[in-house]
Amino acid sequence: MQSVNPHHPTHYWHRSEDGRTQCDICPHQCKLQEGQRGLCYVRGCEAGEIVLYSYGRSSGFCIDPIEKKPLNHFLPGTPVLSFGTAGCNLSCKFCQNWDMSKSRQMDTLASQASPQMLADACVKTGCRSIAYTYNDPVIFMEYAVDVAQACREQNIHSVAVSAGFILPDPRAEFFRYMDAANIDLKGFSERFYHKLCGGHLQPVLDTLIYLVHQTDCWVEITNLIIPGENDDAAELQAMCEWIYEKLGPWVPLHFTAFHPDYKMQDRQRTPLQTLEKARSIALSCGLKHVYTGNVAATNSGSTYCSHCGQLLIERCQYQLGEWNLDKHGCCNHCKTPLAGKFEATPGSWGAQRQVVRFKSSG
């Protein structure tokens, strides 16, 4: 088995004036003494330098439909190999993957998986892409970038599922290797980010603007709606207006349902009516492709032509149905192009989820 360095060197850090070592990956900019770890837990200070502890140590290997990321305009119907590591640089009280992202037991959770092993697994299983997900890949960016490079050599695409909470220099390097990204815009107020996520809104907005206007990375946005926290109509309208004005009308937006989890088990699940109202607001603001997720709603999960209204891609719980795109990714009826990355025919993976096992590192 290919060995990996459990204390992988990094280069986004510097020595601060007070003698501590400052990590320069994300806006927290943790200042660490020797032996301390950052808020993310997977980056820490050793010999006066910041090292990554989770390189090659990942878990949660599953083959999913690409629509589950969620990405509706990127190789629809194709399988994606998904994995993550321990740790996260946000502390969301509503985290839906808290068993991994909040874990402090990397050895228990992790299997050894080198970049080449993951690339080979994609080829062997027929996956068209690999997704860095479950926790935020920006905190293990050195590992993710090496995996992306190994996969690119095999014509495997890379997908980042991220909150976008990252500083400009590492952001440019990280997303240079990503072919698609779903950015989790968790709310549209500093209050929400500070109170429930332990972060800040503006760096996420900066990431979105950078990705849409300065990269070739395909971008979709997810907004998890939590009753009583970020479901206010005025806030939703402000968010949708910002997306329209700053990013344009073609960036797909997914409103997804919250379910009680982690530190917010006293809240109700998001009603379908709330998601539908949010979708209506977004469409009224001029956004062209707005979806609902984590609910069984065929109409609001399907893709329609922005010009003639023709059903282009029918979806129901990650299962594709009717397909009305031509081989160039245009509407069969009026020939209007659909924004995204499409192939002549859709994938046929369906809604299945398949676990992939790697031998434990022991």
Side-chain angles (χ1 to χ4, degrees):
M1 176 180 290
Q2 227 174 327
S3 62
V4 290
N5 182 2
H7 297 177
H8 192 81
T10 72
H11 58 275
Y12 288 107
W13 57 269
H14 72 275
R15 296 283 182 84
S16 61
E17 293 182 358
D18 62 8
R20 292 181 293 175
T21 303
Q22 178 174 309
C23 180
D24 295 322
I25 281 286
C26 85
H28 288 306
Q29 295 181 292
C30 296
K31 292 184 177 181
L32 306 175
Q33 301 279 11
E34 184 69 19
Q36 285 186 320
R37 297 196 183 204
L39 183 145
C40 68
Y41 183 67
V42 298
R43 306 177 85 87
C45 181
E46 285 194 6
E49 301 180 352
I50 299 296
V51 300
L52 174 64
Y53 295 106
S54 61
Y55 189 101
R57 303 163 75 184
S58 38
S59 56
F61 306 102
C62 286
I63 301 175
D64 293 314
I66 191 69
E67 288 79 11
K68 198 173 182 179
K69 296 305 100 187
L71 288 172
N72 282 357
H73 292 233
F74 187 80
L75 303 177
T78 62
V80 55
L81 177 62
S82 304
F83 77 95
T85 73
C88 193
N89 62 338
L90 291 177
S91 50
C92 301
K93 295 180 179 179
F94 49 88
C95 184
Q96 316 272 286
N97 293 312
W98 63 271
D99 53 336
M100 286 181 61
S101 66
K102 308 305 178 188
S103 175
R104 297 297 182 261
Q105 301 179 43
M106 285 192 295
D107 291 330
T108 300
L109 285 175
S111 296
Q112 182 169 296
S114 70
Q116 192 59 54
M117 288 170 63
L118 290 169
D120 291 344
C122 287
V123 173
K124 182 178 180 180
T125 58
C127 288
R128 296 297 312 283
S129 54
I130 189 165
Y132 316 95
T133 181
Y134 304 131
N135 66 325
D136 204 304
V138 303
I139 65 169
F140 61 89
M141 67 166 287
E142 293 81 5
Y143 182 30
V145 165
D146 285 353
V147 173
Q149 289 180 300
C151 285
R152 187 165 288 181
E153 293 177 359
Q154 302 281 0
N155 198 30
I156 304 297
H157 299 286
S158 281
V159 172
V161 181
S162 170
F165 196 64
I166 186 172
L167 290 174
D169 286 347
R171 178 176 65 205
E173 179 179 352
F174 176 74
F175 285 106
R176 184 180 306 131
Y177 298 95
M178 299 298 126
D179 300 291
N182 185 289
I183 301 299
D184 190 3
L185 182 55
K186 297 174 183 292
F188 203 67
S189 71
E190 179 65 15
R191 177 204 67 81
F192 182 91
Y193 268 86
H194 177 73
K195 175 186 174 185
L196 295 181
C197 307
H200 303 284
L201 172 61
Q202 191 58 51
V204 182
L205 301 182
D206 292 343
T207 292
L208 283 165
I209 291 172
Y210 171 78
L211 286 175
V212 171
H213 296 294
Q214 297 187 49
T215 76
D216 294 325
C217 182
W218 174 251
V219 178
E220 302 190 23
I221 299 171
T222 291
N223 178 236
L224 180 76
I225 297 185
I226 304 174
E229 294 293 352
N230 61 352
D231 59 346
D232 178 74
E235 181 176 323
L236 289 169
Q237 175 140 353
M239 180 182 73
C240 295
E241 289 175 349
W242 182 90
I243 293 172
Y244 181 87
E245 294 170 4
K246 300 295 186 180
L247 307 180
W250 311 107
V251 176
L253 173 60
H254 302 256
F255 290 113
T256 58
F258 161 85
H259 66 261
D261 213 332
Y262 195 42
K263 296 182 178 180
M264 295 187 70
Q265 298 192 34
D266 59 337
R267 301 300 177 92
Q268 65 169 323
R269 187 181 181 93
T270 312
L272 175 60
Q273 298 92 313
T274 299
L275 299 180
E276 291 176 337
K277 180 181 178 181
R279 182 172 185 266
S280 178
I281 290 171
L283 292 171
S284 71
C285 289
L287 300 185
K288 302 298 184 182
H289 302 293
V290 188
Y291 302 99
T292 59
N294 292 345
V295 291
T298 303
N299 290 344
S300 54
S302 298
T303 299
Y304 299 86
C305 179
S306 61
H307 180 69
C308 72
Q310 166 78 31
L311 173 64
L312 298 180
I313 308 172
E314 183 183 24
R315 298 184 190 85
C316 183
Q317 294 183 312
Y318 313 123
Q319 182 74 48
L320 298 191
E322 193 172 339
W323 179 271
N324 290 307
L325 289 176
D326 66 19
K327 64 180 182 179
H328 303 295
C330 299
C331 173
N332 272 337
H333 183 256
C334 70
K335 300 305 177 184
T336 298
L338 178 62
K341 181 177 178 61
F342 306 96
E343 296 181 327
T345 57
S348 58
W349 179 254
Q352 63 182 307
R353 186 173 191 262
Q354 178 180 319
V355 175
V356 176
R357 302 193 184 280
F358 288 85
K359 184 179 178 181
S360 174
S361 60

